[in-house]
Amino acid sequence: MDGLVEFKTDDGAVIVVEGVEDESGSRLVARADGTVQAARTFESSLEGVRAAAESTLRVFRDGSLKPDTVEIEFGVKLTAEAGALIARSAVEGHLVVKLSWSPEATPVS
């Protein structure tokens, strides 16, 4: 069952998101209003997604393709215990990568 998850930021602000049930089988106890307190800060929950984005960019920027731009898109789920997870879509994982190249400019004489 999906519910509300309350994350605190490193500077103490509160962010409430609609979370998803952790698939580990464990259940957290919700407050009377149905909100569950996250085990990690919002920033630390997103750290793994940031690392995945950096790795993905490095693979496409440092390879032989040399695109002018790299755009990546992750679907992210937030859970009270695990933090941020790369979400599944209709297929097993959700990661969209777009590469683009600009046409070579012709020199002006």
XYZ file of all heavy atoms in Angstrom:
803
model
N 0.841 -1.178 0.000
C 0.000 0.000 0.000
C 0.887 1.243 0.000
O 1.810 1.342 0.781
C -0.893 -0.024 1.226
C -1.721 1.219 1.382
S -2.910 1.066 2.724
C -1.913 1.450 4.124
N 0.605 2.187 -0.881
C 1.353 3.430 -0.943
C 0.868 4.363 0.158
O -0.274 4.322 0.576
C 1.154 4.106 -2.300
C 1.732 3.284 -3.445
O 2.440 2.315 -3.149
O 1.477 3.624 -4.602
N 1.758 5.222 0.643
C 1.385 6.165 1.677
C 2.277 7.371 1.629
O 3.090 7.542 0.721
N 2.160 8.233 2.624
C 2.964 9.440 2.689
C 4.241 9.173 3.473
O 4.230 8.514 4.505
C 2.175 10.569 3.349
C 0.896 10.986 2.621
C 0.175 12.070 3.415
C 1.205 11.464 1.219
N 5.343 9.692 2.941
C 6.637 9.554 3.603
C 7.177 10.957 3.844
O 7.210 11.783 2.938
C 7.637 8.746 2.738
C 8.986 8.643 3.437
C 7.090 7.366 2.427
N 7.587 11.216 5.079
C 8.122 12.523 5.452
C 9.645 12.455 5.493
O 10.217 11.680 6.245
C 7.587 12.920 6.824
C 8.017 14.289 7.282
C 7.414 14.633 8.620
O 6.209 14.958 8.644
O 8.144 14.571 9.633
N 10.278 13.256 4.645
C 11.730 13.367 4.615
C 12.115 14.711 5.194
O 11.415 15.698 4.990
C 12.256 13.301 3.175
C 12.153 11.954 2.538
C 11.004 11.576 1.873
C 13.220 11.068 2.599
C 10.909 10.336 1.272
C 13.133 9.823 2.001
C 11.976 9.452 1.331
N 13.231 14.763 5.894
C 13.800 16.036 6.328
C 15.010 16.306 5.463
O 15.748 15.406 5.097
C 14.198 15.972 7.798
C 12.982 15.942 8.688
C 13.256 16.487 10.056
C 11.928 16.701 10.722
N 11.708 16.119 11.952
N 15.206 17.574 5.107
C 16.393 17.953 4.351
C 17.527 18.182 5.338
O 17.312 18.242 6.560
C 16.154 19.231 3.531
O 15.911 20.309 4.432
C 14.994 19.072 2.567
N 18.747 18.314 4.826
C 19.898 18.552 5.688
C 19.762 19.838 6.496
O 20.313 19.945 7.581
C 21.192 18.595 4.861
C 21.601 17.224 4.357
O 21.136 16.200 4.909
O 22.388 17.171 3.394
N 18.999 20.808 5.975
C 18.830 22.054 6.719
C 17.546 22.081 7.557
O 17.159 23.105 8.077
C 18.904 23.268 5.790
C 17.820 23.281 4.726
O 16.946 22.396 4.740
O 17.846 24.197 3.881
N 16.879 20.923 7.695
C 15.737 20.809 8.599
C 14.366 21.006 7.984
O 13.361 20.854 8.669
N 14.278 21.351 6.713
C 12.971 21.501 6.068
C 12.313 20.133 5.932
O 12.990 19.102 5.866
C 13.121 22.157 4.699
N 10.996 20.109 5.894
C 10.250 18.861 5.786
C 9.656 18.753 4.391
O 9.044 19.688 3.894
C 9.122 18.803 6.844
C 8.264 17.573 6.653
C 9.714 18.834 8.245
N 9.852 17.593 3.770
C 9.279 17.297 2.456
C 8.429 16.050 2.615
O 8.909 15.014 3.081
C 10.382 17.046 1.409
C 11.270 18.270 1.258
C 9.777 16.629 0.076
C 12.490 18.039 0.396
N 7.172 16.132 2.244
C 6.280 14.981 2.316
C 5.993 14.530 0.889
O 5.585 15.333 0.049
C 4.967 15.321 3.053
C 4.043 14.111 3.096
C 5.259 15.820 4.463
N 6.237 13.258 0.617
C 6.015 12.714 -0.717
C 5.126 11.486 -0.617
O 5.045 10.837 0.427
C 7.338 12.335 -1.416
C 8.229 13.538 -1.596
C 8.070 11.251 -0.666
N 4.474 11.192 -1.724
C 3.722 9.951 -1.794
C 4.739 8.857 -2.069
O 5.400 8.848 -3.107
C 2.668 10.003 -2.895
C 1.819 8.760 -2.942
C 0.714 8.837 -3.979
O 0.781 9.708 -4.865
O -0.212 8.026 -3.902
N 4.919 7.977 -1.124
C 5.929 6.931 -1.238
C 5.326 5.631 -1.725
O 4.128 5.519 -1.967
N 6.189 4.649 -1.883
C 5.755 3.315 -2.264
C 6.190 2.347 -1.185
O 7.154 2.579 -0.464
C 6.351 2.881 -3.623
C 5.824 3.739 -4.737
C 7.852 2.886 -3.597
N 5.471 1.263 -1.072
C 5.810 0.249 -0.087
C 7.129 -0.410 -0.451
O 7.367 -0.745 -1.604
C 4.695 -0.793 -0.052
C 4.878 -1.837 1.023
C 3.687 -2.767 1.069
O 2.586 -2.294 1.363
O 3.892 -3.952 0.805
N 7.985 -0.546 0.522
C 9.261 -1.223 0.316
C 8.980 -2.704 0.096
O 8.191 -3.307 0.795
C 10.138 -1.011 1.552
C 11.590 -1.307 1.300
O 11.893 -1.979 0.297
O 12.419 -0.858 2.105
N 9.633 -3.301 -0.908
C 9.367 -4.699 -1.239
C 10.086 -5.677 -0.330
O 10.045 -6.873 -0.545
C 9.735 -4.949 -2.703
C 8.851 -4.186 -3.659
C 9.199 -4.434 -5.111
O 10.024 -5.324 -5.394
O 8.634 -3.734 -5.959
N 10.741 -5.200 0.725
C 11.479 -6.088 1.611
C 10.561 -6.910 2.498
O 10.997 -7.858 3.125
C 12.437 -5.274 2.482
O 11.691 -4.455 3.375
N 9.291 -6.538 2.570
C 8.348 -7.259 3.412
C 8.191 -6.628 4.780
O 7.259 -6.950 5.496
N 9.093 -5.748 5.186
C 8.955 -5.100 6.485
C 7.966 -3.950 6.378
O 7.758 -3.386 5.315
C 10.313 -4.593 6.983
O 10.819 -3.627 6.100
N 7.369 -3.601 7.490
C 6.398 -2.513 7.516
C 6.796 -1.522 8.590
O 7.147 -1.899 9.701
C 4.999 -3.048 7.850
C 4.523 -4.110 6.893
C 3.363 -3.567 6.093
N 2.651 -4.570 5.354
C 3.040 -5.096 4.222
N 4.190 -4.783 3.715
N 2.308 -5.965 3.575
N 6.745 -0.234 8.265
C 7.005 0.811 9.239
C 5.695 1.260 9.859
O 4.640 1.207 9.228
C 7.697 1.998 8.567
C 9.095 1.708 8.002
C 9.608 2.935 7.270
C 10.047 1.307 9.101
N 5.764 1.732 11.075
C 4.570 2.202 11.762
C 4.333 3.654 11.390
O 5.221 4.492 11.491
C 4.744 2.064 13.289
C 3.525 2.602 14.019
C 5.004 0.612 13.661
N 3.120 3.951 10.946
C 2.761 5.311 10.553
C 2.185 6.059 11.741
O 1.632 5.468 12.670
C 1.744 5.272 9.424
N 2.320 7.395 11.688
C 1.674 8.238 12.682
C 0.165 8.179 12.475
O -0.320 7.604 11.503
C 2.176 9.673 12.544
C 3.656 9.808 12.815
C 4.066 11.257 12.915
N 3.546 12.083 11.850
C 4.281 12.861 11.072
N 5.581 12.915 11.236
N 3.737 13.600 10.135
N -0.567 8.825 13.341
C -2.025 8.819 13.257
C -2.526 9.383 11.930
O -3.561 8.952 11.421
C -2.619 9.614 14.421
N -1.791 10.337 11.347
C -2.208 10.920 10.069
C -1.803 10.052 8.878
O -2.024 10.419 7.730
C -1.685 12.347 9.908
C -0.160 12.428 9.810
O 0.511 11.383 9.883
O 0.354 13.551 9.666
N -1.166 8.894 9.124
C -0.783 7.985 8.054
C 0.592 8.237 7.474
O 1.029 7.530 6.579
N 1.311 9.245 7.978
C 2.629 9.581 7.456
C 3.700 8.760 8.153
O 3.676 8.586 9.358
C 2.917 11.083 7.658
O 1.883 11.834 7.027
C 4.247 11.477 7.053
N 4.656 8.271 7.373
C 5.785 7.512 7.897
C 7.024 8.404 7.856
O 7.267 9.089 6.861
C 6.022 6.243 7.047
C 7.289 5.521 7.469
C 4.815 5.320 7.119
N 7.815 8.402 8.920
C 9.059 9.173 8.971
C 10.152 8.397 8.252
O 10.411 7.243 8.562
C 9.470 9.419 10.429
C 10.754 10.186 10.587
C 10.642 11.620 10.102
O 9.688 12.309 10.418
N 11.609 12.059 9.336
N 10.785 9.022 7.269
C 11.863 8.380 6.526
C 13.067 8.165 7.435
O 13.333 8.953 8.331
C 12.256 9.232 5.319
N 13.813 7.096 7.163
C 14.985 6.769 7.969
C 16.191 7.613 7.595
O 17.135 7.714 8.368
C 15.313 5.282 7.806
N 16.181 8.225 6.421
C 17.322 9.001 5.927
C 16.850 10.386 5.527
O 15.671 10.601 5.283
C 17.926 8.291 4.715
C 18.410 6.894 5.048
C 18.668 6.061 3.836
N 19.683 6.661 2.972
C 20.006 6.167 1.798
N 19.414 5.085 1.343
N 20.926 6.731 1.070
N 17.806 11.323 5.397
C 17.433 12.653 4.919
C 17.096 12.559 3.432
O 17.456 11.593 2.751
C 18.576 13.681 5.099
O 19.673 13.313 4.263
C 18.994 13.814 6.549
N 16.444 13.580 2.936
C 16.078 13.634 1.530
C 17.322 13.574 0.656
O 17.398 12.812 -0.303
C 15.274 14.914 1.261
C 14.687 14.977 -0.110
C 13.638 14.159 -0.475
C 15.179 15.878 -1.045
C 13.092 14.216 -1.747
C 14.641 15.952 -2.312
C 13.590 15.117 -2.663
N 18.349 14.370 1.023
C 19.580 14.399 0.239
C 20.291 13.051 0.243
O 20.739 12.575 -0.805
C 20.541 15.486 0.771
C 20.069 16.902 0.535
C 19.167 17.439 1.646
O 18.716 16.647 2.514
O 18.908 18.645 1.650
N 20.405 12.410 1.402
C 21.098 11.122 1.445
C 20.297 10.036 0.735
O 20.873 9.102 0.192
C 21.419 10.712 2.889
O 20.245 10.437 3.614
N 18.988 10.177 0.696
C 18.158 9.221 -0.036
C 18.418 9.292 -1.534
O 18.361 8.287 -2.232
C 16.668 9.484 0.235
O 16.371 9.235 1.584
N 18.709 10.488 -2.036
C 18.943 10.680 -3.468
C 20.390 10.432 -3.893
O 20.702 10.456 -5.085
C 18.523 12.095 -3.877
C 17.022 12.357 -3.812
C 16.735 13.833 -4.026
C 16.282 11.509 -4.824
N 21.277 10.189 -2.944
C 22.701 10.026 -3.246
C 22.962 8.901 -4.258
O 23.780 9.046 -5.165
C 23.486 9.766 -1.956
C 24.975 9.774 -2.127
C 25.525 11.114 -2.587
O 24.953 12.167 -2.246
O 26.540 11.108 -3.313
N 22.287 7.780 -4.127
C 22.485 6.670 -5.064
C 22.028 7.010 -6.475
O 22.667 6.613 -7.458
N 20.946 7.764 -6.600
C 20.465 8.180 -7.916
C 21.453 9.157 -8.545
O 21.757 9.085 -9.734
C 19.045 8.793 -7.826
C 18.586 9.314 -9.173
C 18.059 7.758 -7.294
N 22.012 10.063 -7.732
C 23.028 11.001 -8.226
C 24.247 10.240 -8.739
O 24.762 10.514 -9.820
C 23.455 11.981 -7.137
C 24.457 13.033 -7.645
C 25.194 13.738 -6.523
N 25.920 12.834 -5.659
C 27.081 12.246 -5.973
N 27.641 12.458 -7.135
N 27.674 11.434 -5.126
N 24.683 9.240 -7.984
C 25.841 8.440 -8.400
C 25.542 7.687 -9.695
O 26.404 7.585 -10.582
C 26.237 7.470 -7.292
N 24.325 7.175 -9.833
C 23.937 6.483 -11.068
C 23.940 7.449 -12.248
O 24.386 7.102 -13.352
C 22.559 5.840 -10.907
N 23.462 8.677 -12.034
C 23.466 9.682 -13.102
C 24.891 10.034 -13.513
O 25.196 10.118 -14.710
C 22.714 10.935 -12.652
N 25.768 10.233 -12.538
C 27.170 10.553 -12.850
C 27.821 9.421 -13.650
O 28.540 9.672 -14.621
C 27.965 10.787 -11.564
C 27.684 12.114 -10.914
C 28.461 12.309 -9.621
O 29.015 11.326 -9.078
O 28.508 13.451 -9.152
N 27.587 8.181 -13.249
C 28.170 7.032 -13.958
C 27.641 6.935 -15.377
O 28.392 6.682 -16.319
C 27.868 5.739 -13.209
O 28.515 5.728 -11.970
N 26.340 7.142 -15.537
C 25.729 7.082 -16.861
C 26.307 8.164 -17.765
O 26.674 7.900 -18.914
C 24.198 7.233 -16.750
O 23.694 6.216 -15.893
C 23.533 7.118 -18.109
N 26.414 9.386 -17.263
C 26.988 10.476 -18.055
C 28.432 10.184 -18.438
O 28.849 10.420 -19.565
C 26.903 11.795 -17.288
C 25.515 12.425 -17.212
C 25.532 13.622 -16.272
C 25.030 12.825 -18.589
N 29.197 9.658 -17.492
C 30.602 9.345 -17.770
C 30.733 8.314 -18.894
O 31.557 8.455 -19.790
C 31.282 8.840 -16.491
C 32.769 8.748 -16.573
C 33.453 8.484 -15.234
N 32.749 7.603 -14.312
C 32.058 8.020 -13.238
N 31.979 9.304 -12.944
N 31.453 7.159 -12.449
N 29.884 7.295 -18.891
C 29.929 6.263 -19.932
C 29.706 6.875 -21.309
O 30.430 6.576 -22.259
C 28.873 5.159 -19.659
C 28.657 4.286 -20.881
C 29.284 4.315 -18.470
N 28.730 7.758 -21.437
C 28.399 8.308 -22.749
C 29.289 9.480 -23.153
O 29.557 9.681 -24.327
C 26.922 8.690 -22.817
C 26.040 7.481 -22.837
C 25.346 7.089 -21.705
C 25.929 6.699 -23.972
C 24.551 5.960 -21.712
C 25.145 5.559 -23.992
C 24.451 5.195 -22.859
N 29.778 10.261 -22.207
C 30.661 11.383 -22.548
C 32.073 10.926 -22.872
O 32.730 11.503 -23.721
C 30.715 12.378 -21.387
C 29.477 13.227 -21.284
C 29.673 14.271 -20.206
N 28.500 15.123 -20.109
C 28.152 15.772 -19.017
N 28.881 15.679 -17.926
N 27.085 16.521 -19.010
N 32.557 9.906 -22.175
C 33.943 9.475 -22.332
C 34.127 8.411 -23.408
O 35.244 8.018 -23.690
C 34.485 8.935 -21.000
C 34.534 10.017 -19.926
O 34.431 11.207 -20.263
O 34.667 9.644 -18.752
N 33.067 7.936 -23.994
C 33.177 6.906 -25.015
C 33.542 7.474 -26.373
O 33.830 8.659 -26.529
N 33.513 6.633 -27.362
C 33.902 7.031 -28.712
C 32.820 7.835 -29.440
O 33.103 8.455 -30.454
C 34.246 5.784 -29.535
O 33.107 4.943 -29.630
N 31.598 7.860 -28.935
C 30.511 8.563 -29.625
C 30.664 10.082 -29.576
O 30.272 10.774 -30.502
C 29.163 8.170 -29.026
C 28.756 6.707 -29.212
C 27.457 6.425 -28.462
C 28.604 6.390 -30.681
N 31.173 10.616 -28.493
C 31.394 12.056 -28.313
C 30.175 12.910 -28.689
O 30.251 13.781 -29.554
C 32.620 12.528 -29.119
C 33.894 11.776 -28.825
C 34.399 12.098 -27.448
C 35.756 11.411 -27.254
N 35.993 11.004 -25.901
N 29.026 12.695 -28.052
C 27.849 13.523 -28.369
C 28.037 14.954 -27.867
O 28.807 15.204 -26.933
C 26.724 12.829 -27.607
C 27.409 12.161 -26.464
C 28.760 11.748 -26.976
N 27.334 15.892 -28.496
C 27.354 17.284 -28.038
C 26.558 17.433 -26.742
O 26.908 18.220 -25.880
C 26.770 18.215 -29.105
C 27.668 18.272 -30.334
O 28.903 18.223 -30.173
O 27.129 18.350 -31.452
N 25.472 16.687 -26.630
C 24.679 16.714 -25.400
C 24.264 15.292 -25.028
O 24.076 14.432 -25.886
C 23.397 17.566 -25.537
O 22.566 17.017 -26.549
C 23.718 19.015 -25.862
N 24.151 15.072 -23.726
C 23.659 13.814 -23.178
C 22.532 14.168 -22.229
O 22.692 15.015 -21.352
C 24.753 13.041 -22.408
C 24.186 11.764 -21.805
C 25.952 12.757 -23.289
N 21.384 13.549 -22.407
C 20.248 13.772 -21.519
C 19.832 12.424 -20.962
O 19.641 11.468 -21.711
C 19.094 14.393 -22.319
C 17.866 14.673 -21.516
C 16.759 15.281 -22.364
O 17.056 16.078 -23.270
O 15.586 14.917 -22.120
N 19.740 12.338 -19.637
C 19.295 11.084 -19.032
C 18.027 11.342 -18.226
O 17.804 12.451 -17.722
C 20.374 10.452 -18.143
C 20.764 11.373 -16.996
C 21.583 10.051 -18.949
C 21.654 10.713 -15.975
N 17.209 10.328 -18.131
C 15.958 10.426 -17.379
C 15.808 9.167 -16.548
O 15.876 8.056 -17.072
C 14.794 10.557 -18.358
C 13.435 10.576 -17.712
C 12.323 10.625 -18.750
O 12.434 11.404 -19.711
O 11.354 9.855 -18.599
N 15.648 9.340 -15.242
C 15.388 8.239 -14.328
C 13.989 8.401 -13.759
O 13.597 9.518 -13.416
C 16.337 8.278 -13.121
C 17.764 7.972 -13.426
C 18.666 8.986 -13.668
C 18.217 6.669 -13.439
C 19.996 8.723 -13.920
C 19.551 6.391 -13.689
C 20.439 7.411 -13.932
N 13.268 7.322 -13.638
C 12.071 7.324 -12.817
C 12.544 7.018 -11.400
O 13.331 6.102 -11.198
N 12.104 7.788 -10.405
C 12.580 7.604 -9.038
C 11.403 7.334 -8.118
O 10.402 8.048 -8.150
C 13.345 8.865 -8.554
C 13.767 8.727 -7.107
C 14.541 9.132 -9.445
N 11.521 6.282 -7.302
C 10.548 5.986 -6.254
C 11.199 6.314 -4.927
O 12.392 6.087 -4.739
C 10.172 4.500 -6.245
C 9.358 4.047 -7.415
C 9.006 2.581 -7.259
C 8.230 2.068 -8.447
N 7.862 0.652 -8.274
N 10.424 6.843 -3.996
C 10.928 7.151 -2.663
C 10.261 6.226 -1.653
O 9.035 6.107 -1.644
C 10.653 8.615 -2.313
C 11.382 9.632 -3.176
C 10.807 11.019 -2.969
C 12.869 9.619 -2.866
N 11.074 5.564 -0.826
C 10.541 4.712 0.231
C 11.094 5.180 1.567
O 12.162 5.785 1.630
C 10.904 3.226 0.025
O 12.298 3.055 0.228
C 10.500 2.739 -1.359
N 10.369 4.883 2.629
C 10.774 5.337 3.959
C 12.078 4.696 4.409
O 12.902 5.345 5.038
C 9.676 5.035 4.968
N 12.301 3.434 4.088
C 13.508 2.744 4.549
C 14.660 2.827 3.560
O 15.778 3.118 3.933
C 13.201 1.271 4.827
C 12.424 1.062 6.103
C 12.234 -0.404 6.390
O 12.018 -1.182 5.450
O 12.296 -0.767 7.568
N 14.401 2.571 2.289
C 15.481 2.491 1.299
C 15.824 3.837 0.702
O 16.867 3.980 0.084
C 15.092 1.517 0.189
N 14.984 4.825 0.840
C 15.241 6.128 0.228
C 14.796 6.130 -1.215
O 13.709 5.676 -1.534
N 15.641 6.624 -2.119
C 15.289 6.747 -3.533
C 15.758 5.510 -4.295
O 16.878 5.052 -4.140
C 15.915 7.999 -4.127
N 14.884 5.002 -5.134
C 15.172 3.847 -5.973
C 14.898 4.218 -7.415
O 13.973 4.981 -7.695
C 14.254 2.670 -5.608
C 14.166 2.276 -4.143
C 12.997 1.326 -3.934
C 15.459 1.633 -3.711
N 15.672 3.676 -8.350
C 15.345 3.870 -9.759
C 14.144 2.990 -10.045
O 14.159 1.783 -9.807
C 16.541 3.530 -10.657
C 17.684 4.508 -10.356
C 16.147 3.594 -12.131
C 18.971 4.216 -11.079
N 13.082 3.613 -10.519
C 11.789 2.942 -10.645
C 11.707 2.073 -11.892
O 12.350 2.344 -12.892
C 10.677 3.992 -10.684
N 10.890 1.048 -11.780
C 10.588 0.226 -12.940
C 9.506 0.920 -13.754
O 8.678 1.638 -13.234
C 10.033 -1.134 -12.513
C 11.040 -2.047 -11.979
C 10.517 -3.426 -11.761
N 9.091 -3.474 -11.507
C 8.411 -4.595 -11.429
N 8.999 -5.741 -11.588
N 7.128 -4.590 -11.188
N 9.522 0.668 -15.058
C 8.414 1.105 -15.901
C 7.803 -0.173 -16.455
O 7.834 -1.199 -15.802
C 8.912 2.037 -17.006
O 9.812 1.357 -17.851
N 7.283 -0.130 -17.646
C 6.701 -1.329 -18.237
C 7.764 -2.404 -18.464
O 7.457 -3.571 -18.534
C 6.011 -0.988 -19.550
N 9.015 -1.987 -18.595
C 10.114 -2.944 -18.710
C 10.797 -3.033 -17.349
O 10.340 -2.462 -16.386
C 11.102 -2.529 -19.823
C 10.444 -2.627 -21.177
C 11.639 -1.146 -19.610
N 11.906 -3.724 -17.251
C 12.524 -3.976 -15.956
C 13.084 -2.743 -15.259
O 13.001 -2.624 -14.066
C 13.617 -5.039 -16.099
C 13.064 -6.432 -16.197
C 12.207 -6.825 -15.007
O 12.646 -6.714 -13.852
O 11.064 -7.244 -15.241
N 13.696 -1.833 -15.978
C 14.244 -0.648 -15.339
C 13.869 0.580 -16.131
O 13.572 0.489 -17.310
N 13.880 1.727 -15.483
C 13.486 2.947 -16.178
C 14.691 3.866 -16.307
O 15.115 4.487 -15.341
C 12.364 3.655 -15.423
C 11.903 4.886 -16.129
N 11.102 4.847 -17.222
C 12.161 6.194 -15.898
C 10.871 6.082 -17.645
N 11.509 6.906 -16.853
N 15.256 3.905 -17.489
C 16.364 4.793 -17.795
C 16.261 5.168 -19.258
O 16.266 4.307 -20.130
C 17.708 4.101 -17.532
C 18.964 4.827 -17.998
C 19.153 6.137 -17.239
C 20.177 3.932 -17.804
N 16.114 6.461 -19.522
C 16.065 6.963 -20.892
C 17.322 7.782 -21.113
O 17.653 8.645 -20.301
C 14.808 7.835 -21.122
C 14.815 8.424 -22.522
C 13.536 7.040 -20.873
N 18.052 7.489 -22.187
C 19.261 8.233 -22.532
C 19.075 8.812 -23.920
O 18.721 8.095 -24.848
C 20.516 7.326 -22.518
C 21.744 8.119 -22.918
C 20.698 6.675 -21.160
N 19.283 10.129 -24.053
C 19.187 10.796 -25.352
C 20.537 11.432 -25.650
O 21.077 12.169 -24.827
C 18.101 11.872 -25.335
C 16.713 11.326 -25.138
C 15.693 12.435 -25.103
C 14.318 11.876 -24.818
N 13.311 12.935 -24.764
N 21.077 11.125 -26.802
C 22.342 11.699 -27.254
C 22.052 12.550 -28.476
O 21.215 12.184 -29.297
C 23.332 10.595 -27.628
C 23.572 9.493 -26.597
C 24.470 8.418 -27.181
C 24.173 10.071 -25.339
N 22.747 13.684 -28.612
C 22.544 14.496 -29.811
C 23.873 15.090 -30.262
O 24.783 15.313 -29.470
C 21.513 15.597 -29.567
O 21.962 16.493 -28.588
N 23.928 15.320 -31.570
C 25.109 15.901 -32.200
C 24.648 17.065 -33.052
O 23.620 16.997 -33.719
C 25.806 14.872 -33.091
C 26.423 13.742 -32.340
C 27.718 13.636 -31.948
C 25.781 12.554 -31.891
N 27.925 12.443 -31.282
C 26.740 11.759 -31.231
C 24.463 12.052 -31.968
C 26.458 10.532 -30.669
C 24.177 10.831 -31.382
C 25.173 10.086 -30.757
N 25.422 18.133 -33.046
C 25.142 19.280 -33.910
C 25.896 19.086 -35.208
O 27.021 18.560 -35.223
C 25.625 20.574 -33.246
O 24.972 20.755 -32.023
N 25.296 19.528 -36.312
C 26.027 19.439 -37.587
C 27.280 20.314 -37.513
O 27.291 21.342 -36.856
C 25.045 19.963 -38.628
C 23.831 20.380 -37.912
C 23.995 20.099 -36.458
N 28.307 19.855 -38.187
C 29.555 20.626 -38.229
C 29.291 21.969 -38.891
O 28.635 22.045 -39.915
C 30.608 19.869 -39.045
C 31.011 18.537 -38.446
C 32.105 18.694 -37.401
O 32.858 19.664 -37.473
O 32.178 17.819 -36.534
N 29.804 23.029 -38.290
C 29.660 24.360 -38.884
C 30.652 24.491 -40.026
O 31.791 24.071 -39.931
C 29.907 25.427 -37.819
N 30.189 25.056 -41.138
C 31.099 25.282 -42.273
C 31.844 26.573 -42.042
O 31.275 27.574 -41.612
C 30.323 25.344 -43.594
O 29.323 26.351 -43.477
C 29.679 24.025 -43.930
N 33.147 26.579 -42.303
C 33.932 27.796 -42.066
C 33.488 28.930 -42.992
O 33.154 28.701 -44.140
C 35.372 27.378 -42.378
C 35.338 25.940 -42.763
C 33.928 25.470 -42.782
N 33.449 30.122 -42.423
C 33.084 31.317 -43.177
C 34.362 31.877 -43.787
O 35.364 32.071 -43.117
C 32.411 32.362 -42.275
C 32.086 33.611 -43.057
C 31.189 31.774 -41.617
N 34.321 32.169 -45.135
C 35.539 32.696 -45.776
C 35.537 34.200 -45.842
O 34.673 34.894 -45.662
C 35.737 32.128 -47.168
O 34.572 31.838 -47.837
